[in-house]
Every structure is written in C-alpha cells, then in structure tokens.
Amino acid sequence: MSAFMSKTSLYSKRGTGATQATAADDPLLAAWERTLRENRERPAILDEHGRVARTFSGIEKRSSELKSELGCVDAGEVLAIQIGNHADWPSLFLACLRKRIVVLPLEQTIGQEQCNAVFTTCGVVAAAVLGGRGIALQLVPPVRTPAATSRWQDNQPSLLKLTSGTTAAPRAVRFRSQQLLADCENICDTMGMTARDLNFGVIPISHSYGFSNLLTPLLARAIPLVLSSDRMPRAILDNIARSGATVFPGMPVFYQSFCELTDAPSLPKLRLCISAGAPLSAALADRFHAGFERVIHSFYGSSECGGICYVGEASATPGFVGPALRGVEIEELDAKDDPGTPSRVEGSDRGGSRRVVSAIRVRSAAVGDGYFPEPDETKLGGGVFIPDDLLEKTADGYRIVGRASDLINVAGKKVSPAEIEAQLIRFAGVREAVAFARDSTRRNQEVVACVVVAGDITEEQLLRHCRARLSSWQTPRRIFLVSRIPVNERGKVSRPELARRYATAR
C-alpha cells in the first residue's frame, strides 16, 4: 500500500512508552489468563478442514513473539490491523493490550483513498498487514493532525471501531477492555454459547459483529474458532460440515445463497445459526428452516454499543429483532427526551390497535465511550447510545420499522424515510420496506421505495395507500416491488447505493 513505508527493523527509536498492562488492570487480559490456565492444550483455532492451527498455549506463545516485534509502536499510539481472518489476530490483539497500543481493525478491501483518510483521522502510526512470510508491520508516514497528536488522558481506549457517520469523513468509536468484555458476556450469556461450542468464522473479525461474536468469545470464554477465508456458499457449508462447527454467525445474504444450492451437505453438529447486519425476512427464515431444519436467530446490534436484541425463538413478524440481550436496557424516547428528532410515529395496525414506533436509548456496560475524533454526546456517551433505527415494541420484543435519519429533501421539505416505511408496512401483505432519496431535476430529491410483498399486490395499490395517508411531497414517486431488499457487500442496506441502482425509472 502506497501510504506505508517499509521498515526492516521495527524496534523503536522513539522511546519505550508507558508501563505495560497486566491482568490486574485490564479485565480482558484477566479473562484471557483464566482461559489460558484452564485450556492450555485445547484446540483454539482450526482451519477450514478442521485441523488445529493454534492451541490456546500456541496463541499465547505467538503473542509473545509478536509483542517483541511491536517496538516501533509506543503505548497510546494507534496500530491498524488489516490481516483478514488470519490465525494471528488473537495473538496480535493480546500483544497490543499488553503494550497499551490502541487497535484499529480494518478490512483488507478498503480503498487506498479511504485508507489514507482513516490513517490521518485516527492518527495511525503503523499497520499490520499480510506479507510474504506472514504478518508484516509497516510504518505510516507521520501526519500532523489534532487526532495524531491527541492525548487519551485517563480514558485511553483499547480498540477503535470504524463506523459511518452523517458525513463522508471517517470516524471511530472508542472502547476500553471492560466494554469489549461486557459485550462478549452479554452475547454469550444470551445466546447460550459455551466452551463446548465451535464457532465458524467467515464474517470478518475486522467488523464489529465478527470481533464480538468470534474473537472476544475465544479469549474470554474459551470458545474455539474455525477461521475461513472462502466465502463461496458451497465451500462454507462443506467447511461447516467438515470442521464440526456448532455455531454459525452469518448474514441474510449467506442464508439466501445456501437456500439456492442443490445437494447441500447435512450439518448434524450445527446447532445455532445467527443472522445480523441486515433485516432477515420471514420468507427466507422459513425457506432455510424447510431446507436445513434449523432456525435462524436474528441478532440486532450496532458498532457503538455491541449487541442490543436477539430473537431466541422462530418468529414470522417482519423486522422482529426480539427482546434486549442480558445486560442491555432499552428505553423508548419521547418527544420531550429528544425534541429535535422525529422519534415517534403513531397509528393503528390492521386490527385497529394503537401502535407506537419510537427511537430508543440503549444502556449497557458495553456502550463505547464516544466518537473519535469529534464526540457527539447527544448520541453516544456515558453508557448510553441512541441508534438511528425506529422500533416498535411488541409483547415479545422489538421490531425495526425504519430509521430516524437519512432525511430526504423534497423541494426544501424534509421527509423522514422512517415515516414512509412505517406507512408502507401498515399495508396488509407488505413484509419489508426501505424508502430513500432519488435525484430530481425539479424538486432536488424525490421519494422512492423498495418493497417486499406477499401476494398479488401492485405498485398502484401501494401508491394509493400512501396518497391517502401522506402529504403529496411525502408520497413516493415510484415503489419498486422486489423479491428481497438489495444489500451491499457487507450485507447491509445502503440507501445511497439503492439511489444509484434506481436512478432512473424501470
């Protein structure tokens, strides 16, 4: 990568930094030392064929080797880790914890321009990448920015999670070890994951979902891990069967691909299928259950706070994400809590019962300390996070029906996609709906939507439904009936990408 300067000797010439961390002052290191004492020679990391790549003691040994190679990075400085799902990930992370180095996980597929912007914003001094002989450390040319020269004071993070913001500029979320450990405990306790399980890791560890469901359960709960780099659907199923994995954290796009395969292998040991990153349709869940005799459990979370909700039992309710995880509290926001946010949409369901869709406030020991480099205390801080999603509370948990952000500018009038989506979902037979902006030569932007329906529903029926309930400038110009909501390569719904896909009428 052109942003890096290679360095053959990585021992620091700038100083030794602060005192190294121990289990006494880092709860994640303390959890790892318990794991290590009780599981030294147990298999910890397996390859795609089920062969042992690391024992728990092997992770510790490799961590000591990598720690000696981190002399170019001082305590408090930021190291980017960009090595894919490599077996050295746990060892490198442990080495950084002990040296008090701040870790920034990055995808390998990130573009060079975006990568340079992230390095500048987060003050990255070096990056761990894959070289010809394994892990290589490369120094980043110094850039004098407020982020690069900032001091963490008494609140230094262990990890920075890259996340999207309201602008094109990159930003991260700051996490300390106790917050990462709390998220791991919430997830494992809620999902019933134990050291008797075997996790299958095809989702990237560099993503918040992969970090919390794969890496920290390995370190803190001794849950071994199969690491896979082959993302072809048949290869994934073959490797799950071959390795004997019991837990598969996936995304809807994986399950959709599995259902399209013929002669899929049997998966006798797979007991827990998890889906996150994007809404899971009831039709897909039913199809997977019919073909594989497994329930898909929807998991809802955010980079800012980790896991939020989890569906423990099968549900046919569109957008249902279940009750809060153990250790997580959810409060519904009212207008008095956040008067500047379109936080509540009221109406009636088909039975005439009153229903309220609300923004929520998440409280948990896993919530990050704040955004970096620019904080936003109205959304994140003090153990509280306010997601952009709008949720409906039901007797069994929560259902996502839209988002409070992504406002559409129609001739100077601001339209909330969440309000459009809430109206569309009220139409009998509508399973999923996503509203977004499309450029308009006359009105700046116009509202369009993608909708998944059951039965013989037409676009004109949905348009009439919206015209009767929405202002003229809120009513979608087009409603596209689709078999499933398109998602990007990370399995997430991207409104800008939908706008590009549906830039002209079809």
Side-chain angles (χ1 to χ4, degrees), residues 66-116:
L66 290 168
K67 181 168 168 281
S68 68
E69 292 296 319
L70 287 172
C72 65
V73 186
D74 286 340
E77 293 184 324
V78 180
L79 172 74
I81 298 183
Q82 198 173 17
I83 60 176
N85 280 13
H86 193 280
D88 277 345
W89 233 115
S91 301
L92 187 54
F93 181 61
L94 288 168
C96 289
L97 285 180
R98 287 176 173 134
K99 285 181 64 66
R100 299 183 187 272
I101 293 170
V102 182
V103 168
L104 173 66
L106 289 181
E107 299 176 52
Q108 288 182 296
T109 56
I110 189 172
Q112 186 62 62
E113 184 176 338
Q114 185 183 7
C115 193
N116 292 344

Coordinates of all heavy atoms in Angstrom, one line a residue, residues 66-116:
L66 N 5.0 -11.7 18.7 CA 4.6 -10.5 18.1 C 4.8 -9.3 18.9 O 5.1 -8.2 18.4 CB 3.1 -10.6 17.7 CG 2.8 -11.6 16.6 CD1 1.3 -11.9 16.5 CD2 3.3 -11.1 15.3
K67 N 4.7 -9.5 20.2 CA 4.9 -8.3 21.2 C 6.3 -7.8 21.0 O 6.5 -6.6 21.1 CB 4.6 -8.8 22.6 CG 4.8 -7.7 23.7 CD 4.2 -8.3 25.0 CE 4.6 -7.4 26.1 NZ 5.9 -7.7 26.6
S68 N 7.3 -8.7 20.8 CA 8.7 -8.2 20.7 C 8.9 -7.5 19.4 O 9.9 -6.8 19.2 CB 9.6 -9.4 20.8 OG 9.5 -10.3 19.6
E69 N 8.0 -7.7 18.4 CA 8.2 -7.0 17.1 C 7.4 -5.7 17.0 O 7.4 -5.1 16.0 CB 7.7 -7.9 16.0 CG 8.5 -9.2 15.8 CD 9.9 -8.8 15.3 OE1 10.0 -7.9 14.5 OE2 10.9 -9.4 15.8
L70 N 6.7 -5.3 18.2 CA 6.0 -4.1 18.2 C 6.7 -2.9 18.8 O 6.1 -2.0 19.2 CB 4.7 -4.3 18.9 CG 3.6 -5.2 18.3 CD1 2.4 -5.5 19.2 CD2 3.1 -4.5 17.0
G71 N 8.0 -3.0 18.7 CA 8.8 -1.9 19.3 C 8.7 -0.6 18.7 O 9.0 0.4 19.3
C72 N 8.2 -0.6 17.4 CA 8.1 0.7 16.7 C 6.8 1.5 17.1 O 6.6 2.6 16.7 CB 8.1 0.5 15.2 SG 6.6 -0.4 14.7
V73 N 6.0 0.8 17.9 CA 4.7 1.5 18.3 C 4.7 1.7 19.8 O 4.9 0.7 20.6 CB 3.5 0.6 17.9 CG1 2.2 1.3 18.2 CG2 3.6 0.2 16.4
D74 N 4.5 2.9 20.3 CA 4.5 3.2 21.7 C 3.2 3.1 22.3 O 2.1 3.1 21.6 CB 5.0 4.6 21.9 CG 6.5 4.8 21.7 OD1 7.2 3.7 21.8 OD2 7.0 5.9 21.5
A75 N 3.1 3.0 23.6 CA 1.8 2.9 24.3 C 1.0 4.2 24.0 O 1.5 5.3 23.9 CB 2.0 2.8 25.8
G76 N -0.3 4.0 23.8 CA -1.2 5.1 23.4 C -1.3 5.4 22.0 O -2.2 6.1 21.5
E77 N -0.4 4.8 21.1 CA -0.4 5.0 19.7 C -1.4 4.0 19.0 O -1.7 3.0 19.6 CB 1.0 5.0 19.1 CG 1.8 6.1 19.6 CD 3.2 6.1 18.9 OE1 3.8 5.1 18.7 OE2 3.7 7.3 18.6
V78 N -1.8 4.3 17.8 CA -2.8 3.5 17.1 C -2.1 2.6 16.1 O -1.4 3.1 15.2 CB -3.8 4.4 16.5 CG1 -4.9 3.6 15.7 CG2 -4.5 5.3 17.5
L79 N -2.4 1.3 16.1 CA -2.0 0.4 15.2 C -3.2 -0.2 14.4 O -4.1 -0.7 15.0 CB -1.3 -0.8 15.9 CG -0.9 -2.0 15.0 CD1 0.3 -1.7 14.1 CD2 -0.6 -3.2 15.8
A80 N -3.1 0.0 13.1 CA -4.2 -0.6 12.2 C -3.9 -2.1 12.0 O -2.7 -2.5 11.7 CB -4.3 0.1 10.9
I81 N -4.9 -3.0 12.1 CA -4.7 -4.4 11.8 C -5.5 -4.7 10.6 O -6.8 -4.6 10.6 CB -5.1 -5.3 13.0 CG1 -4.2 -5.0 14.3 CG2 -5.0 -6.8 12.7 CD1 -4.5 -5.9 15.5
Q82 N -4.9 -5.2 9.6 CA -5.5 -5.3 8.3 C -5.0 -6.7 7.7 O -4.4 -6.7 6.6 CB -5.1 -4.2 7.3 CG -6.0 -4.0 6.2 CD -5.7 -2.7 5.4 OE1 -4.6 -2.1 5.6 NE2 -6.6 -2.3 4.6
I83 N -5.4 -7.8 8.4 CA -4.8 -9.1 8.0 C -5.9 -10.1 7.7 O -5.6 -11.3 7.6 CB -3.9 -9.6 9.2 CG1 -4.7 -9.8 10.5 CG2 -2.7 -8.7 9.4 CD1 -3.9 -10.4 11.6
G84 N -7.2 -9.7 7.5 CA -8.2 -10.6 7.2 C -8.4 -11.6 8.4 O -8.1 -11.3 9.5
N85 N -9.0 -12.7 8.2 CA -9.3 -13.7 9.2 C -8.1 -14.6 9.4 O -8.1 -15.8 9.1 CB -10.6 -14.5 9.0 CG -11.8 -13.7 9.3 OD1 -11.8 -12.5 9.6 ND2 -12.9 -14.4 9.4
H86 N -7.0 -14.0 9.8 CA -5.7 -14.7 10.0 C -5.6 -15.3 11.4 O -6.1 -14.7 12.4 CB -4.6 -13.8 9.7 CG -3.2 -14.4 9.6 ND1 -2.5 -14.9 10.6 CD2 -2.5 -14.8 8.5 CE1 -1.3 -15.4 10.2 NE2 -1.4 -15.4 8.9
A87 N -5.0 -16.4 11.5 CA -4.8 -17.1 12.9 C -4.0 -16.3 13.9 O -4.1 -16.5 15.1 CB -4.2 -18.5 12.7
D88 N -3.3 -15.2 13.4 CA -2.6 -14.4 14.3 C -3.4 -13.3 14.9 O -2.9 -12.5 15.8 CB -1.3 -13.8 13.6 CG -0.2 -14.7 13.6 OD1 -0.2 -15.7 14.3 OD2 0.8 -14.5 12.8
W89 N -4.6 -13.1 14.5 CA -5.5 -12.0 15.0 C -5.5 -12.0 16.6 O -5.2 -11.0 17.2 CB -6.9 -12.1 14.5 CG -7.4 -10.8 13.8 CD1 -7.7 -10.6 12.5 CD2 -7.6 -9.5 14.4 NE1 -8.1 -9.3 12.3 CE2 -8.1 -8.7 13.4 CE3 -7.5 -9.1 15.7 CZ2 -8.5 -7.3 13.7 CZ3 -7.9 -7.8 16.0 CH2 -8.3 -6.9 15.0
P90 N -5.9 -13.1 17.2 CA -6.0 -13.1 18.7 C -4.6 -12.8 19.3 O -4.6 -12.0 20.3 CB -6.4 -14.5 19.0 CG -7.1 -15.0 17.8 CD -6.3 -14.4 16.7
S91 N -3.6 -13.3 18.8 CA -2.2 -13.1 19.4 C -1.8 -11.7 19.3 O -1.2 -11.1 20.2 CB -1.2 -14.0 18.7 OG -1.5 -15.4 18.9
L92 N -2.0 -11.1 18.1 CA -1.7 -9.7 17.9 C -2.5 -8.7 18.8 O -1.9 -7.8 19.3 CB -1.8 -9.3 16.4 CG -1.4 -8.0 15.9 CD1 0.1 -7.8 16.3 CD2 -1.6 -7.8 14.4
F93 N -3.7 -9.0 18.9 CA -4.6 -8.2 19.8 C -4.1 -8.3 21.2 O -4.0 -7.2 21.9 CB -6.0 -8.6 19.7 CG -7.0 -7.8 20.5 CD1 -7.1 -6.4 20.3 CD2 -7.7 -8.4 21.5 CE1 -8.0 -5.7 21.1 CE2 -8.6 -7.6 22.3 CZ -8.7 -6.3 22.0
L94 N -3.8 -9.5 21.7 CA -3.3 -9.6 23.1 C -2.0 -8.9 23.3 O -1.8 -8.2 24.3 CB -3.1 -11.1 23.4 CG -4.4 -11.9 23.6 CD1 -4.0 -13.4 23.6 CD2 -5.1 -11.5 24.9
A95 N -1.1 -8.9 22.3 CA 0.2 -8.2 22.4 C -0.1 -6.7 22.5 O 0.6 -6.0 23.2 CB 1.0 -8.5 21.1
C96 N -1.0 -6.2 21.7 CA -1.4 -4.8 21.8 C -2.0 -4.4 23.1 O -1.7 -3.3 23.7 CB -2.3 -4.4 20.7 SG -1.6 -4.5 19.0
L97 N -2.8 -5.3 23.7 CA -3.4 -5.0 25.0 C -2.3 -4.8 26.0 O -2.3 -3.9 26.9 CB -4.3 -6.1 25.4 CG -5.7 -6.2 24.8 CD1 -6.5 -7.3 25.3 CD2 -6.5 -4.9 25.0
R98 N -1.3 -5.7 26.0 CA -0.2 -5.7 27.0 C 0.7 -4.5 26.8 O 1.2 -4.0 27.8 CB 0.6 -7.0 26.9 CG -0.2 -8.2 27.5 CD 0.5 -9.5 27.3 NE -0.2 -10.6 28.1 CZ -0.5 -11.8 27.6 NH1 -0.1 -12.1 26.3 NH2 -1.1 -12.7 28.3
K99 N 0.9 -4.1 25.6 CA 1.7 -2.9 25.4 C 0.9 -1.6 25.4 O 1.5 -0.5 25.1 CB 2.4 -3.0 24.0 CG 3.6 -4.0 24.0 CD 4.2 -4.1 22.7 CE 4.9 -2.8 22.3 NZ 6.0 -2.4 23.1
R100 N -0.4 -1.7 25.7 CA -1.3 -0.5 25.7 C -1.3 0.2 24.4 O -1.4 1.5 24.3 CB -0.9 0.5 26.8 CG -0.9 -0.1 28.3 CD -0.6 1.0 29.3 NE -0.4 0.4 30.6 CZ -1.4 0.3 31.5 NH1 -2.6 0.7 31.1 NH2 -1.2 -0.2 32.7
I101 N -1.3 -0.5 23.3 CA -1.4 0.0 22.0 C -2.9 0.0 21.6 O -3.6 -1.0 21.8 CB -0.5 -0.8 21.0 CG1 0.9 -0.6 21.3 CG2 -0.9 -0.4 19.5 CD1 1.8 -1.6 20.5
V102 N -3.3 1.1 21.0 CA -4.7 1.1 20.5 C -4.9 0.5 19.2 O -4.2 0.8 18.2 CB -5.2 2.6 20.5 CG1 -6.7 2.7 20.1 CG2 -5.0 3.3 21.8
V103 N -5.8 -0.5 19.1 CA -6.0 -1.3 17.9 C -7.1 -0.7 17.0 O -8.2 -0.3 17.6 CB -6.3 -2.7 18.2 CG1 -6.8 -3.5 17.0 CG2 -5.1 -3.4 18.8
L104 N -6.9 -0.6 15.7 CA -7.9 -0.2 14.8 C -8.1 -1.3 13.7 O -7.3 -1.4 12.8 CB -7.5 1.2 14.1 CG -8.5 1.6 13.0 CD1 -9.8 2.0 13.5 CD2 -7.8 2.8 12.2
P105 N -9.1 -2.1 13.8 CA -9.3 -3.1 12.8 C -9.8 -2.5 11.5 O -10.6 -1.6 11.5 CB -10.4 -4.0 13.4 CG -10.5 -3.6 14.8 CD -10.1 -2.2 14.9
L106 N -9.2 -3.0 10.4 CA -9.6 -2.5 9.0 C -9.8 -3.7 8.1 O -9.1 -4.7 8.2 CB -8.5 -1.6 8.5 CG -8.3 -0.2 9.1 CD1 -7.2 0.5 8.3 CD2 -9.6 0.6 9.0
E107 N -10.8 -3.6 7.2 CA -11.0 -4.6 6.2 C -9.8 -4.5 5.2 O -9.2 -3.5 4.9 CB -12.3 -4.3 5.4 CG -13.5 -4.3 6.2 CD -14.7 -3.9 5.4 OE1 -14.9 -4.6 4.4 OE2 -15.5 -3.1 5.8
Q108 N -9.5 -5.7 4.6 CA -8.5 -5.7 3.6 C -8.9 -5.1 2.3 O -8.1 -4.6 1.5 CB -8.1 -7.2 3.3 CG -7.3 -7.8 4.4 CD -6.9 -9.3 4.0 OE1 -7.8 -10.1 3.9 NE2 -5.6 -9.5 3.9
T109 N -10.2 -5.0 2.1 CA -10.8 -4.5 0.8 C -10.9 -3.0 0.8 O -11.4 -2.4 -0.2 CB -12.1 -5.1 0.5 OG1 -13.0 -4.9 1.6 CG2 -12.0 -6.6 0.3
I110 N -10.6 -2.3 1.9 CA -10.8 -0.9 2.0 C -9.9 -0.2 0.9 O -8.8 -0.6 0.6 CB -10.4 -0.3 3.4 CG1 -10.8 1.1 3.5 CG2 -8.9 -0.5 3.7 CD1 -10.6 1.7 4.9
G111 N -10.5 0.8 0.2 CA -9.8 1.5 -0.9 C -8.6 2.4 -0.3 O -8.6 2.8 0.8
Q112 N -7.6 2.6 -1.2 CA -6.4 3.4 -0.8 C -6.8 4.8 -0.3 O -6.3 5.2 0.7 CB -5.4 3.4 -1.9 CG -4.1 4.1 -1.5 CD -3.4 3.3 -0.5 OE1 -3.0 2.1 -0.7 NE2 -3.2 3.8 0.7
E113 N -7.7 5.5 -1.0 CA -8.0 6.8 -0.6 C -8.7 6.8 0.7 O -8.4 7.7 1.6 CB -8.9 7.4 -1.7 CG -9.3 8.9 -1.4 CD -10.1 9.5 -2.6 OE1 -10.0 9.0 -3.7 OE2 -10.8 10.5 -2.3
Q114 N -9.6 5.9 0.9 CA -10.3 5.8 2.2 C -9.4 5.4 3.3 O -9.4 5.9 4.4 CB -11.5 4.9 2.1 CG -12.3 4.8 3.4 CD -13.4 3.8 3.3 OE1 -13.5 3.0 2.4 NE2 -14.3 3.8 4.3
C115 N -8.4 4.5 3.0 CA -7.5 4.1 4.0 C -6.6 5.2 4.4 O -6.4 5.4 5.6 CB -6.6 3.0 3.4 SG -5.6 2.0 4.5
N116 N -6.1 6.0 3.5 CA -5.3 7.2 3.9 C -6.1 8.2 4.8 O -5.5 8.7 5.7 CB -4.8 7.9 2.6 CG -3.8 7.1 1.8 OD1 -3.3 6.1 2.3 ND2 -3.6 7.4 0.6

